[in-house]
Amino acid sequence: VVIEGTIVDVMETWPLQLSVVTGEGLYQIALAEATAVTSEGRPAEETQLLPGRPVRVEGEPSNGLAMKAARIDIGTI
Amino acid sequence: MNEHEPVEGGEPTQAGKRPRKAAKEKEAPAPADGGGIDPHESVSGGEVGPPGEAADGAETNGFEGVAAGIETVEGFDLTPATQEALLSEEVEISKEMAALPPAEDLTYEKPETVCGVDNRVRISPATTIPWRWCCELLITYPNNAGARGTGWFIGPKTVMTAGHVVYSAGNGGWARRIEVIPGMDGASRPYGSQVGTSFRSVSGWTSSGNPEYDYGAIILPNNTLGNTVGWFGFANLSDVQLQNLFVNTAGYPGDKPFGTLWFNAGAITQVTARRLLYMVDTAGGQSGSAVWRYLNGQRHAVGIHGYGGCPNKAVRIVAPVYNNMLAWKAL
């Protein structure tokens, strides 16, 4: 599953969880230790995941509008 | 349905037995919820245990206070926090703590997101009050994903935390198990640990994913740990009492050495109907941490930390939250 949207909230578990608003609604995104975070294709830190930033998320769907992220790219929208 | 209505998670064993209302003996101000749906409706997950004896009430509801207090922690420099419009608890700094290199000199796998200067201070050992009330949480979700968070005792077997710690939609819902380790300090587990499989949150979080209702609790199998370490009080304070209040927080951030407890404090910069905003430094792993006021020797949690982004945010302990906490404490 691939979604594109904007980060609304950053939940501070470790790894992080995100709320991302998309055209379909509000997605709950769970990162994993192995989740690759990039910024426009370049390696980035999780700390760059901030409210207001556009993201493209690839991952495994969970129930409803929720997913476990395998890859997150910041600023591709 | 009331979104503040408690809900249970995990492996429900007594269908339909959901604690809907908390104890009435300490009536809080009327909930500000609008409409016919209460997102604070309590829900539960995991095993629903039998009701236990009610604990002593350290909590106060809307108690009066003049000045906020910061824990006295050696090595904690309030100045940067003040400049960032923030902080509070005072923490005494031991020789060991003083010997620690500055946080900014350390190299971490992933840097934390801090607001301005990172002035977090490590608490070691974590066996004194209030640090031993704080717990490292090792979470296993239904999809077998592991995660870490922070919790804090509010009763003999009740550990408060964020809703997204006990219920993570992205990871499949209610946690499968959470190991609770109070006072953890690196490799030291001074009180051992217990595994919780019974959880509580509210429908405003589990059904709606509304961050204003992002709080929950872990119900441990017995009173052993809580009666050993003790617990925080909690309070429902007014807007005026909370605005610019100096508050304290301590948690187990993932950007620091595993299992180490870190403290910070600062002022609340904004108070909304259901959230508290502050520039107190936190990081991933600190979700669920207590945000507390230290006043006249008493510590009362006023929020449940959960969100980063500068300003960082906590769910505010308003009347429905307070009432659910009372009910969960009495389980």
Side-chain angles (χ1 to χ4, degrees):
Chain A
V1 173
V2 178
I3 66 162
E4 293 183 338
T6 302
I7 297 173
V8 175
D9 275 312
V10 177
M11 292 168 265
E12 291 196 320
T13 48
W14 186 268
L16 300 173
Q17 300 179 56
L18 308 174
S19 293
V20 174
V21 64
T22 72
E24 299 176 74
L26 189 65
Y27 268 83
Q28 301 292 323
I29 310 292
L31 277 70
E33 292 278 359
T35 299
V37 179
T38 57
S39 178
E40 297 184 339
R42 299 175 183 174
E45 302 289 351
E46 287 184 8
T47 53
Q48 293 178 243
L49 297 168
L50 296 171
R53 296 212 169 156
V55 288
R56 182 178 189 273
V57 185
E58 301 175 23
E60 304 169 15
S62 184
N63 296 329
L65 298 181
M67 62 189 295
K68 180 179 177 182
R71 177 183 300 275
I72 300 177
D73 191 54
I74 304 168
T76 56
I77 293 177
Chain B
M1 182 180 71
N2 179 332
E3 288 192 305
H4 277 290
E5 182 177 348
V7 292
E8 302 171 0
E11 302 168 3
T13 56
Q14 294 174 308
K17 291 194 175 182
R18 296 187 301 182
R20 286 180 168 267
K21 295 294 179 185
K24 294 289 186 184
E25 64 273 18
K26 294 185 179 180
E27 194 65 35
D33 302 279
I37 296 178
D38 181 358
H40 282 287
E41 180 179 7
S42 179
V43 294
S44 66
E47 301 164 354
V48 181
E53 61 180 14
D56 292 338
E59 68 280 359
T60 61
N61 197 11
F63 73 95
E64 297 298 323
V66 178
I70 301 176
E71 297 283 352
T72 303
V73 178
E74 276 188 52
F76 177 67
D77 180 6
L78 182 61
T79 305
T82 304
Q83 292 170 345
E84 292 158 11
L86 7 163
L87 320 198
S88 188
E89 244 196 76
E90 300 174 26
V91 183
E92 288 189 21
I93 295 186
S94 64
K95 291 180 180 178
E96 291 77 10
M97 290 170 64
L100 287 171
E104 58 269 28
D105 291 348
L106 301 177
T107 299
Y108 305 113
E109 291 182 6
K110 296 180 180 178
E112 76 286 356
T113 302
V114 299
C115 307
V117 176
D118 182 2
N119 57 344
R120 291 178 293 176
V121 172
R122 181 175 173 179
I123 301 298
S124 180
T127 50
T128 56
I129 293 172
W131 318 118
R132 69 190 190 200
W133 300 339
C134 303
C135 310
E136 170 83 279
L137 304 180
L138 304 180
I139 312 153
T140 304
Y141 289 115
N143 61 357
N144 290 321
R148 282 141 57 187
T150 300
W152 39 287
F153 276 93
I154 60 168
K157 61 177 184 178
T158 305
V159 177
M160 279 302 293
T161 187
H164 60 264
V165 166
V166 297
Y167 184 95
S168 168
N171 282 310
W174 291 105
R176 181 174 298 156
R177 69 196 296 275
I178 299 179
E179 183 175 11
V180 175
I181 314 168
M184 187 174 187
D185 180 28
S188 173
R189 297 181 175 207
Y191 308 103
S193 69
Q194 282 193 336
V195 173
T197 57
S198 178
F199 310 112
R200 300 292 186 279
S201 187
V202 292
S203 58
W205 176 248
T206 61
S207 297
S208 306
N210 186 336
E212 294 184 333
Y213 301 90
D214 188 354
Y215 65 99
I218 303 161
I219 311 302
L220 295 176
N222 58 54
N223 297 343
T224 305
L225 270 186
N227 281 338
T228 300
V229 301
W231 52 83
F232 277 97
F234 45 95
N236 167 25
L237 302 186
S238 68
D239 287 5
V240 171
Q241 288 174 305
L242 288 168
Q243 193 65 53
N244 298 316
L245 177 68
F246 276 77
V247 290
N248 307 272
T249 192
Y252 289 89
D255 62 315
K256 300 293 189 184
F258 176 69
T260 55
L261 182 65
W262 292 77
F263 163 82
N264 205 340
I268 293 173
T269 54
Q270 186 179 350
V271 178
T272 72
R274 303 198 177 284
R275 296 179 104 179
L276 305 175
L277 283 63
Y278 39 80
M279 298 292 278
V280 179
D281 299 327
T282 58
Q286 291 188 243
S287 268
S289 301
V291 175
W292 75 89
R293 177 175 79 167
Y294 181 42
L295 179 68
N296 299 328
Q298 291 192 312
R299 296 171 175 88
H300 292 93
V302 297
I304 303 118
H305 173 75
Y307 291 79
C310 294
N312 299 325
K313 305 176 189 74
V315 169
R316 176 180 173 183
I317 298 179
V318 291
V321 179
Y322 178 90
N323 287 336
N324 278 332
M325 291 172 70
L326 273 184
W328 296 341
K329 175 178 178 176
L331 291 172

